[in-house]
Amino acid sequence: MCIMPENLMDNPLEISDYCNRHGVTFMGMTNALASVLDPERFKGLRILSLGGDSADSKLFEKWALYVNRVINDYGPTEICVHATATVYEPGYQDIIPIGRPYNNKKIYILQGDKLCGIGQKGEICVGGSGVARGYHNRPKITTQSFVDNPFDSGRLYRTGDVGVMRP
């Protein structure tokens, strides 16, 4: 496992050189960073996990030409970042699914406090381990965003993101 020195992070050529020099085969980064890097320069990279922003199908398509697997990793900071993941499949148009939840997370699509059915739009809510206690010194927004989970033990984080449960 490599943790790249911070002083290299502002130079795309240094990033790829570092990864090649250290034999990096799996890398996690934001979509914004991936958009300024040249995938041709990453010689040993096999798996790329992208998150931190809406998935850009053109960006995923570009990287998929050079690595074995590109993963769309969804999850807000408020639930310790990783909530769901899906492997990018060539041919996704515009919207790349956020995938299935990790084993320690549960995803609910809600309209208000009611579960949505298959195909109905609603707010993505995340439960399970890693849900934060709230926002520091922000009780009003904490009360709105972190709620008791009516479907299981613990709390839910209401992301504000809109999603649809697929069959």
Side-chain angles (χ1 to χ4, degrees):
M1 182 167 146
C2 299
I3 299 176
M4 190 174 300
E6 191 174 337
N7 64 321
L8 302 181
M9 294 301 293
D10 62 350
N11 184 328
L13 297 177
E14 291 283 348
I15 293 171
S16 58
D17 288 348
Y18 177 89
C19 290
N20 293 334
R21 192 168 51 253
H22 288 63
V24 172
T25 59
F26 176 97
M27 192 168 179
M29 69 177 84
T30 63
N31 297 317
L33 179 57
S35 71
V36 299
L37 297 176
D38 180 358
E40 288 186 49
R41 293 190 49 85
F42 290 81
K43 301 304 179 199
L45 193 62
R46 294 192 323 247
I47 301 172
L48 178 64
S49 178
L50 295 174
D53 201 352
S54 296
D56 176 349
S57 59
K58 299 246 184 278
L59 177 66
F60 279 61
E61 184 178 346
K62 176 174 100 172
W63 277 91
L65 297 173
Y66 298 94
V67 298
N68 297 348
R69 185 174 294 162
V70 181
I71 299 169
N72 184 21
D73 198 348
Y74 168 83
T77 301
E78 292 85 349
I79 53 91
C80 296
V81 182
H82 304 286
T84 68
T86 192
V87 174
Y88 170 78
E89 298 286 338
Y92 278 133
Q93 301 294 320
D94 300 324
I95 297 175
I96 299 171
I98 64 170
R100 296 186 176 276
Y102 285 98
N103 289 337
N104 61 348
K105 300 287 192 278
K106 291 191 178 180
I107 301 296
Y108 304 91
I109 307 296
L110 302 179
Q111 288 180 356
D113 292 333
K114 305 283 187 220
L115 279 172
C116 291
I118 302 295
Q120 290 181 306
K121 285 185 181 179
E123 181 180 12
I124 300 170
C125 299
V126 183
S129 63
V131 175
R133 289 180 281 204
Y135 298 108
H136 183 64
N137 291 331
R138 305 216 34 217
K140 184 176 180 183
I141 193 168
T142 293
T143 303
Q144 294 168 344
S145 300
F146 298 90
V147 299
D148 288 334
N149 186 340
F151 313 105
D152 202 351
S153 61
R155 288 170 298 144
L156 287 179
Y157 172 64
R158 300 186 73 101
T159 68
D161 295 338
V162 176
V164 174
M165 187 73 68
R166 293 182 170 186

